[in-house]
Amino acid sequence: MKALTADFRPGTAVPTTAAPTTPVPAMTLLTHLVYALAYLIAGGSAGAALWALRPEADPLVAWLVGALVVLAGALIHEAVTRLERERKAARRIARLNDRVEELALLLERRLAADSGAQPDGGVRYDAVMQEVKLLQSLVARLTERRAPRPPSASGERRPAPPSAAAVPAAPPMDDAAVLEAVRDALKADRIDVYLQPIVSLPQRKHRFYEVFSRVRAADGQQIMPDRYLDIAEREGLIATIDNLQLVRCVQLIRETERRQHAIGFFANISAATLADAEFMRQFLNMMAQNHALVPKLVFELSQHAVSAGGAVTMGILSQLARLGFRFSMDQVTDLAIDLDRLLRHEFRCIKLDRALVLDPANAGRIRELRHRCAAEGIDLIVEKIETENQLVDVLDTGFDFGQGYLFGEPRLSRKPE
């Protein structure tokens, strides 16, 4: 919610409506050790007592009884720990909900006061309040239990390339730790948005920015998309991440409008987000009040997602296209592209990997694809251009747009002012 606080005047006090919550200290490492020692001693004592009472019995039975006592103690320990973790998460979400309500109240008061002084005050008020409602609904979803989902196909979402300058080295994390970090980051508004330019060739003028999301852990370290995306997909969190990213995109587009910058934004979107009827309804209501921003937002789907998209997914794309949205296809691995299908659903860009474009075995098919796309009004973007020599080779093939570290690494976006 930090993006909302940028509009507050310095020194403005935020009203506090929620009753103070007394923090409950979490179990310390010493407490866990004491619990573990207790059920280990209990298990050993049970086994020894059974052996002493029934010396004629098989010693293995006594050992098994002791092991069962230890196992029961460990299960109780795990249950208590999980309940404490859930209580802690519930308290944090409650505080976050209170904070969102306070921000909404303060925004409503300030923007209502400003609407009379500024000609566009009413429009800005409606736009910001739409974003507040979206953020409120996203926070509320964190309290819901999500059923586990099957893992997504490899390569369904393209992770952002790492930036050596921006990403601190993080110790290895197992899947459970990554999942906990993602949930914590969603609750604490630590899903950072990074932008990487897409340039026209050969001028290298910035025409678009691609938007990436990265998770920032509590200690400041970043978890890259290739580490958390599949886990978030399985646990039903990917739509929430996408939704937050889309709200941030709208804020970025509005900021460029205010600064009169003619630039667009590419945002990855998953099938889970497209199927999220509640969010899409609220998002489209917000865009209906900001219809001038629609042409500047390009939804990006992988070739696998487009190929595997059923009637529901493609129907949603058609509805979005009728509202003026455009689409881009990336992660292309098969050059046998059905351009007619893409055109029917308003796909106006295709991204191709530089290695795929420069592979001599693909020269004929690349040439044919470029000519067809030029005739149909589809822009081709070559990505992962890292060196000047690679750029020269790409320019020789006649492409008009490029993306890669040569033109700029993904950079953390500024919060709207």
Side-chain angles (χ1 to χ4, degrees), residues 149-163:
R149 301 184 181 185
S152 60
S154 60
E156 183 172 345
R157 291 169 60 88
R158 179 171 55 83
S163 168

Side-chain angles (χ1 to χ4, degrees), residues 212-257:
F212 301 106
S213 59
R214 294 181 181 176
V215 170
R216 178 161 39 89
D219 60 2
Q221 293 180 337
Q222 288 182 351
I223 306 174
M224 302 304 292
D226 58 354
R227 184 67 187 92
Y228 71 78
L229 281 179
D230 286 343
I231 298 172
E233 181 83 24
R234 288 199 302 269
E235 297 297 327
L237 296 174
I238 202 66
T240 305
I241 294 174
D242 276 353
N243 297 349
L244 288 170
Q245 180 174 290
L246 283 177
V247 172
R248 183 76 176 100
C249 266
V250 173
Q251 294 171 338
L252 289 168
I253 295 171
R254 186 179 293 114
E255 182 72 8
T256 61
E257 282 281 300

Side-chain angles (χ1 to χ4, degrees), residues 78-313:
E78 169 65 20
V80 171
T81 303
R82 185 179 296 276
L83 287 173
E84 182 191 20
R85 194 176 296 149
E86 290 180 356
R87 285 196 299 268
K88 182 179 178 182
R91 289 194 298 272
R92 293 170 69 180
I93 291 175
R95 288 197 297 269
L96 185 57
N97 266 316
D98 292 340
R99 180 62 175 166
V100 171
E101 293 290 345
E102 292 167 6
L103 294 177
L105 179 61
L106 187 56
L107 276 171
E108 186 173 358
R109 289 175 178 173
R110 178 184 171 184
L111 293 175
D114 289 348
S115 61
Q118 298 178 6
D120 63 342
V123 176
R124 177 170 173 76
Y125 168 79
D126 291 338
V128 175
M129 289 310 298
Q130 285 282 352
E131 291 169 16
V132 170
K133 291 176 183 177
L134 270 178
L135 292 171
Q136 286 176 318
S137 69
L138 295 177
V139 169
R141 291 184 194 190
L142 296 177
T143 61
E144 301 174 0
R145 285 197 181 275
R146 300 289 189 124
R149 301 184 181 185
S152 60
S154 60
E156 183 172 345
R157 291 169 60 88
R158 179 171 55 83
S163 168
V167 183
M173 301 174 68
D174 59 21
D175 286 1
V178 171
L179 176 60
E180 185 66 24
V182 171
R183 284 176 171 159
D184 185 62
L186 284 168
K187 297 167 191 171
D189 189 25
R190 291 199 306 271
I191 303 296
D192 291 333
V193 170
Y194 280 70
L195 303 176
Q196 186 178 34
I198 299 172
V199 304
S200 60
L201 299 177
Q203 301 90 350
R204 307 192 190 190
K205 185 174 182 179
H206 290 192
R207 296 297 186 184
F208 302 93
Y209 282 102
E210 181 164 5
V211 180
F212 301 106
S213 59
R214 294 181 181 176
V215 170
R216 178 161 39 89
D219 60 2
Q221 293 180 337
Q222 288 182 351
I223 306 174
M224 302 304 292
D226 58 354
R227 184 67 187 92
Y228 71 78
L229 281 179
D230 286 343
I231 298 172
E233 181 83 24
R234 288 199 302 269
E235 297 297 327
L237 296 174
I238 202 66
T240 305
I241 294 174
D242 276 353
N243 297 349
L244 288 170
Q245 180 174 290
L246 283 177
V247 172
R248 183 76 176 100
C249 266
V250 173
Q251 294 171 338
L252 289 168
I253 295 171
R254 186 179 293 114
E255 182 72 8
T256 61
E257 282 281 300
R258 190 173 67 83
R259 296 172 182 268
Q260 297 182 344
H261 291 165
I263 200 159
F265 293 86
F266 281 64
N268 283 280
I269 191 168
S270 66
T273 299
L274 290 174
D276 190 340
E278 180 185 353
F279 172 79
M280 291 305 295
R281 178 180 56 80
Q282 296 182 30
F283 178 76
L284 292 177
N285 286 339
M286 181 177 69
M287 296 306 292
Q289 299 191 26
N290 299 271
H291 197 266
L293 308 183
V294 169
K296 293 193 173 185
L297 178 59
V298 180
F299 291 125
E300 195 163 66
L301 293 88
S302 68
Q303 185 180 39
H304 172 79
V306 175
S307 301
V312 174
T313 299

